[in-house]
Amino acid sequence: MQQTQSTQQQAGIMPAPPKVITTKDASYLKDQLSWLLLAMKKCSHFARECSDPEIGQAIDKAGKMHERHYNLLLKHLQTNNAEGMKNVPQH
């Protein structure tokens, strides 16, 4: 176990994600939220337009999956980033 931790530290692998969001992280997250929202909207539109009810249900199911992922990501982002940044060492 000790060797694994030492190897991870040498490789620069974090044992747990930081409790803050950098500007670059925020940009990635904004993109991901936008893609999920677009996927939800497209699935909703095409599920309504579909003439085959079985396919429409499958598309609607995919849209609901994207909606769950969107809401889960939002839930994870509900944090006080300014407070967390106070604990990050500044170089």
Side-chain angles (χ1 to χ4, degrees):
M1 180 74 173
Q2 182 66 21
Q3 186 178 9
T4 303
Q5 288 176 343
S6 176
T7 305
Q8 286 178 343
Q9 288 173 349
Q10 290 173 353
I13 298 172
M14 285 187 215
K19 297 195 182 291
V20 296
I21 297 172
T22 65
T23 305
K24 190 171 185 175
D25 294 333
S27 181
Y28 287 131
L29 291 167
K30 180 182 174 190
D31 286 345
Q32 183 62 40
L33 287 168
S34 295
W35 296 330
L36 287 167
L37 185 59
L38 180 61
M40 288 176 358
K41 288 179 178 181
K42 285 184 174 187
C43 286
S44 175
H45 169 76
F46 289 114
R48 285 192 313 267
E49 295 290 318
C50 190
S51 59
D52 184 328
E54 195 172 325
I55 294 174
Q57 286 176 347
I59 295 171
D60 188 56
K61 184 178 176 182
K64 289 188 184 338
M65 176 198 63
H66 291 300
E67 183 177 7
R68 282 191 312 275
H69 292 171
Y70 182 89
N71 288 326
L72 182 62
L73 189 52
L74 279 179
K75 181 181 169 190
H76 286 300
L77 293 174
Q78 293 175 342
T79 181
N80 185 346
N81 200 51
E83 191 64 34
M85 285 299 289
K86 291 179 184 176
N87 300 323
V88 174
Q90 302 298 317
H91 301 279

